[in-house]
Amino acid sequence: MGELLEQHGVQIMYTKVWRSLQHAKRLTYGNPDESYQQLPSYFHMLKETNLGSITAIETDENNYFLYSFFALGACLHGFRSYIRPVVAVDATHLKGEHKGVIFVATCKDEEEMIYPIAFGFGDGESDRSWIWFLMKLREAIGVREDLVIVSDRHQSIANAMSHVFPSVPHVFCFFHLKQNLKKRYRQRKDVMTAFYLAAYSYTTIECDTYLAEIQSMHPQTHLTLMEARPEKNGLVIDVLQLPDSKPL
């Protein structure tokens, strides 16, 4: 509004600017309702042009949209053939008219770059939505002996994992734990150094040694790490730091 006044000598109300912006977005990106209506056609063409792709749409009893899922055939082929099966799952909130979340499942390739596996859309991060997404992910990638799932500490993910992948190791992301520790305790450098060393330990004895140091320096941090079940997960695995992830 200030630029319009300065450059063109026009004073305009905020509400009119906002309505103009929304109209411009609709002209550029289309109507959100129409976009959701085009999902079946888009998924059909996706499977026609990218063989091996997997798609799914879930609706309620009134045929209203609930969830969707898609995994590109080329990405699935690469995952099965070449990628280390350490899969990170997360969700990020949509800011459009219909809100909801985007679910993502990714890995890292040999160049340490993000490798996409699958995406989904849902109404939020609930037990039901995570169970649905992980069930579709299981159909897409199967259950390998060396499969590992990485996530933040969202309780719905843990609940869904116990339901869908009960035999697959579920570990917590190093990045999220680190951010939580910084946010909660404003950690000293010596405590964070011991945490890094514990996280990157390759043996249980070495990890326990650094955990003991953390307990002596800051008992509350040690308690937080114990709640992350290091005896089950090998503390944490820094296999993937999800982009724009926000700690819980």
Side-chain angles (χ1 to χ4, degrees):
M1 293 183 291
E3 292 181 359
L4 285 173
L5 181 61
E6 180 180 344
Q7 297 179 12
H8 305 287
V10 177
Q11 187 169 3
I12 187 171
M13 294 181 63
Y14 174 86
T15 54
K16 182 173 288 188
V17 174
W18 186 87
R19 289 196 302 269
S20 300
L21 176 63
Q22 300 310 308
H23 180 67
K25 286 183 176 180
R26 284 193 293 271
L27 292 176
T28 304
Y29 303 111
N31 184 285
D33 292 335
E34 295 176 355
S35 297
Y36 278 100
Q37 292 171 4
Q38 292 174 6
L39 267 179
S41 299
Y42 173 75
F43 282 174
H44 172 75
M45 293 307 300
L46 198 64
K47 291 190 287 187
E48 288 290 319
T49 58
N50 197 315
L51 298 181
S53 296
I54 297 175
T55 67
I57 296 177
E58 181 82 7
T59 58
D60 63 14
E61 62 275 7
N62 297 316
N63 203 34
Y64 290 139
F65 176 86
L66 288 177
Y67 313 118
S68 66
F69 173 93
F70 71 96
L72 297 178
C75 293
L76 293 176
H77 174 72
F79 173 77
R80 295 166 183 151
S81 304
Y82 310 109
I83 302 297
R84 183 175 56 165
V86 180
V87 180
V89 297
D90 202 353
T92 184
H93 290 274
L94 296 169
K95 297 181 180 179
E97 180 178 333
H98 296 293
K99 306 302 180 182
V101 297
I102 297 179
F103 298 104
V104 295
T106 59
C107 288
K108 273 188 175 180
D109 63 17
E110 69 279 2
E111 298 294 333
E112 294 296 305
M113 305 302 290
I114 300 296
Y115 184 91
I117 301 176
F119 301 88
F121 299 91
D123 55 353
E125 289 194 82
S126 63
D127 288 8
R128 181 179 176 183
S129 62
W130 268 115
I131 288 174
W132 191 89
F133 176 76
L134 291 181
M135 287 182 65
K136 297 303 176 183
L137 180 65
R138 178 170 177 155
E139 293 175 10
I141 67 175
V143 180
R144 295 166 48 171
E145 183 178 355
D146 50 354
L147 179 65
V148 176
I149 303 292
V150 185
S151 75
D152 60 22
R153 298 176 65 186
H154 198 291
Q155 188 58 48
S156 288
I157 300 179
N159 296 340
M161 280 294 301
S162 63
H163 182 83
V164 182
F165 289 102
S167 62
V168 174
H170 175 212
V171 301
F172 297 134
C173 176
F174 168 84
F175 175 78
H176 286 88
L177 275 178
K178 178 184 71 174
Q179 294 299 96
N180 283 336
L181 292 178
K182 286 184 176 180
K183 183 177 180 180
R184 287 185 184 181
Y185 307 122
R186 305 290 181 181
Q187 289 293 5
R188 308 191 316 249
K189 288 186 177 180
D190 55 349
V191 176
M192 292 307 298
T193 298
F195 170 66
Y196 274 88
L197 293 173
Y200 283 93
S201 297
Y202 285 93
T203 65
T204 302
I205 295 176
E206 183 182 6
C207 179
D208 289 343
T209 299
Y210 292 120
L211 287 176
E213 290 185 13
I214 294 173
Q215 185 177 24
S216 64
M217 291 184 289
H218 199 284
Q220 191 60 43
T221 297
H222 181 266
L223 179 60
T224 300
L225 294 177
M226 291 301 100
E227 292 173 352
R229 306 194 312 276
E231 74 284 353
K232 178 179 180 181
N233 296 327
L235 187 56
V236 286
I237 300 178
D238 185 21
V239 291
L240 186 63
Q241 295 184 9
L242 299 177
D244 299 325
S245 295
K246 297 187 182 300
L248 295 172

